[in-house]
Amino acid sequence: MTTELNITGMTCGHCEKAVRDALQHVPGVESVQVDRAAGQASVTGNADVQALIHAVTEEGYAAQVRS
């Protein structure tokens, strides 16, 4: 399963890495791709969506599921 997230607040490579690292530590995540320019993240695995959003917000960024 792939979950697509819109991420706001990423302004640099460090931000992108922080979001990627936070998402990778959520149980059930198999792989993560973060695109700072597009403001998006793609997460593969069976992780809980709310856990993904929480991990991003804990790093100081906003996240929501792409519709």
Side-chain angles (χ1 to χ4, degrees):
M1 179 174 102
T2 300
T3 303
E4 301 290 334
L5 299 172
N6 287 326
I7 311 288
T8 55
M10 294 187 295
T11 59
C12 65
H14 174 75
C15 297
E16 190 173 307
K17 182 181 182 322
V19 169
R20 183 182 311 108
D21 290 348
L23 290 170
Q24 286 176 331
H25 285 95
V26 175
V29 170
E30 294 173 11
S31 67
V32 176
Q33 293 182 350
V34 178
D35 184 340
R36 172 179 34 122
Q40 298 174 346
S42 179
V43 182
T44 303
N46 62 356
D48 178 69
V49 173
Q50 291 304 315
L52 296 172
I53 291 170
H54 180 74
V56 173
T57 58
E58 284 292 301
E59 290 297 318
Y61 308 96
Q64 65 183 25
V65 176
R66 274 180 48 198
S67 51

